[in-house]
């Protein structure tokens, strides 16, 4: 008997949704947060799961979340003109793929 759950390769998405608890469903909810980046006020809207990853990244780097956002802003917007939310989502995915 295997300890691993057999997952239908054609229904991995259904398995992920079934594995979500009520608490995890809240990770899908968008949340707005305001920051000052180089003296300019900006509001970023991301799903809560991305904020959780960004907070983990900031803690790991021993910097504040606004400092992390500013650093990502400076590096990422060269490739992605003016869409900081998109940059943050991609950075979170890369972080999770490489370091988690």
């Amino acid at each position: 008997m295997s300890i691993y759950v057999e997952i239908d390769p054609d229904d991995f998405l259904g398995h992920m949704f079934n594995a979500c608890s009520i608490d995890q469903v809240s990770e899908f909810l968008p949340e707005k947060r305001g920051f000052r980046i180089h003296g300019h006020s900006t509001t970023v809207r991301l799903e809560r799961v991305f904020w959780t990853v960004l907070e983990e990244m900031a803690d790991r780097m021993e910097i504040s979340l606004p400092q992390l956002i500013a650093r990502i802003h400076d590096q990422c917007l060269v490739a992605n003109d003016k869409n900081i939310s998109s940059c943050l989502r991609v950075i979170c995915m890369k972080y999770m793929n490489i370091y988690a």
Side-chain angles (χ1 to χ4, degrees):
M1 184 168 137
S2 173
I3 62 170
Y4 298 103
V5 176
E6 293 295 324
I7 300 171
D8 179 358
D10 295 328
D11 193 29
F12 66 90
L13 189 59
H15 178 263
M16 287 191 307
F17 283 122
N18 288 333
C20 286
S21 69
I22 297 300
D23 293 334
Q24 292 168 327
V25 170
S26 69
E27 293 176 344
F28 291 91
L29 298 175
E31 183 176 302
K32 287 184 183 181
R33 297 194 190 183
F35 298 96
R36 291 190 72 76
I37 300 175
H38 305 304
H40 298 281
S41 294
T42 188
T43 301
V44 177
R45 182 180 174 173
L46 294 173
E47 294 75 12
R48 288 182 186 165
V49 68
F50 291 109
W51 289 119
T52 301
V53 173
L54 290 167
E55 289 164 351
E56 177 183 319
M57 291 171 64
D59 288 345
R60 185 174 181 173
M61 296 176 68
E62 298 180 353
I63 61 176
S64 69
L65 184 57
Q67 289 171 318
L68 177 69
I69 302 288
R71 186 166 175 190
I72 293 170
H73 172 274
D74 293 347
Q75 297 294 315
C76 187
L77 288 187
V78 171
N80 188 350
D81 186 33
K82 298 183 182 175
N83 191 343
I84 186 68
S85 294
S86 177
C87 288
L88 293 171
R89 286 185 186 96
V90 170
I91 290 296
C92 287
M93 292 300 299
K94 287 185 174 215
Y95 175 80
M96 294 303 292
N97 284 330
I98 295 169
Y99 299 106

